[in-house]
């Protein structure tokens, strides 16, 4: 198993030694647990230090504030999500590329069900719609990265229409999946099924691959 990486974006100082990397990972794990328990507004650096079992000075050694910690967590989640998709695309054979979009939706649902903090934070929307990238909103970043994976894996023509359709699909899927988890903590299966059907039909009608 590879050593987890830490995005350098929101970090005040990049951890180099193994112990420092592990300490930052503990802080992010603690952040994930706490946002599920108390929400972003209830999160404090003091609570985080206590949960991660680190000195408060260690928190500020790497992060300027709680927003930066949540940003690092959102980036870690994005990297994990995209890596899982890349691995699945490489290991499975899909009849059509929009079957891979189904897989991407499944991966997003799985993150909601299995990754601490994800149901609360998603990719950072609760904090800032531009948490992943100051120039684009969070869903636009995900759609762009998904387009890159699809173009690379399925030799699609990289065109503006495809990227626009994927951005619409990501927005629609995100809204419906959030609805499913508001209706049922485990995700309302009837809503999730409709979300996938809606996205598949939209892509089938609006994008020629």
């Amino acid at each position: 198993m590879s050593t987890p990486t830490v995005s350098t974006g929101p970090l005040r100082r990049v951890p180099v030694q193994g112990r420092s990397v592990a300490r930052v990972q503990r802080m992010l794990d603690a952040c994930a647990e706490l946002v599920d328990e108390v929400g972003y507004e209830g999160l404090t650096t003091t609570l985080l230090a206590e949960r991660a079992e680190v000195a408060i000075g260690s928190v500020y050694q790497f992060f300027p504030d709680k927003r930066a910690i949540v940003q690092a967590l959102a980036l870690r989640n994005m990297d994990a999500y995209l890596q899982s998709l890349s691995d699945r695309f490489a290991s499975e054979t899909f009849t059509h590329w929009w079957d891979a979009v189904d897989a991407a939706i499944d991966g997003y649902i799985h993150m909601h069900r299995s990754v601490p903090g994800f149901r609360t934070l998603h990719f950072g929307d609760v904090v800032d719609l531009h948490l992943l990238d100051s120039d684009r909103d969070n869903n636009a970043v995900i759609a762009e990265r998904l387009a890159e994976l699809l173009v690379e894996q399925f030799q699609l023509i990289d065109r503006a229409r495809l990227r626009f359709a994927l951005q619409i699909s990501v927005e629609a899927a995100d809204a419906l999946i959030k609805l499913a988890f508001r209706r049922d903590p485990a995700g309302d299966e009837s809503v999730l099924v409709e979300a996938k059907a809606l996205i598949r039909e939209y892509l089938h009608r609006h994008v020629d691959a």
Side-chain angles (χ1 to χ4, degrees):
M1 176 181 286
S2 60
T3 302
T5 59
V6 177
S7 171
T8 60
L11 285 166
R12 172 175 277 166
R13 184 171 75 82
V14 179
V16 178
Q17 296 182 337
R19 284 185 299 178
S20 295
V21 172
R23 192 180 309 130
V24 169
Q25 292 295 336
R26 285 207 312 277
M27 294 177 202
L28 297 185
D29 291 341
C31 178
E33 294 173 3
L34 286 167
V35 293
D36 273 344
E37 295 171 17
V38 302
Y40 177 70
E41 293 304 322
L43 177 68
T44 67
T45 52
T46 300
L47 275 176
L48 186 136
E50 291 173 356
R51 180 63 61 89
E53 298 182 340
V54 299
I56 189 68
S58 291
V59 176
Y60 289 116
Q61 182 181 13
F62 293 103
F63 298 103
D65 50 34
K66 74 173 185 178
R67 183 186 186 281
I69 300 166
V70 170
Q71 184 181 16
L73 177 62
L75 288 166
R76 186 177 75 169
N77 286 340
M78 181 183 72
D79 289 343
Y81 173 67
L82 293 171
Q83 185 60 55
S84 71
L85 286 188
S86 181
D87 292 344
R88 186 169 179 184
F89 289 178
S91 64
E92 292 187 26
T93 300
F94 296 99
T95 303
H96 196 280
W97 68 267
W98 52 63
D99 293 325
V101 176
D102 259 6
I105 295 172
D106 284 339
Y108 190 57
I109 294 167
H110 178 72
M111 294 277 284
H112 277 74
R113 288 174 170 161
S114 63
V115 177
F118 191 79
R119 192 183 306 180
T120 303
L121 291 175
H122 302 99
F123 288 114
D125 295 1
V126 71
V127 181
D128 187 342
L129 289 175
H130 295 103
L131 194 66
L132 297 177
D133 185 320
S134 60
D135 296 325
R136 297 174 295 167
D137 65 40
N138 301 323
N139 279 344
V141 174
I142 297 299
E144 184 77 11
R145 297 290 294 276
L146 178 58
E148 291 168 1
L149 282 174
L150 290 169
V151 166
E152 177 182 356
Q153 185 68 28
F154 298 96
Q155 290 77 54
L156 302 179
I157 299 173
D158 187 5
R159 57 177 179 256
R161 179 59 185 165
L162 171 65
R163 291 178 180 270
F164 177 75
L166 285 172
Q167 186 165 359
I168 295 295
S169 299
V170 166
E171 291 288 350
D174 181 43
L176 288 171
I177 290 169
K178 286 175 180 174
L179 171 63
F181 282 90
R182 288 199 304 271
R183 287 167 60 101
D184 183 339
D188 186 318
E189 196 61 36
S190 63
V191 176
L192 296 175
V193 168
E194 289 300 313
K196 293 175 72 173
L198 183 152
I199 299 305
R200 176 181 285 267
E201 178 63 20
Y202 170 76
L203 291 173
H204 181 69
R205 287 190 293 112
H206 291 278
V207 182
D208 294 321

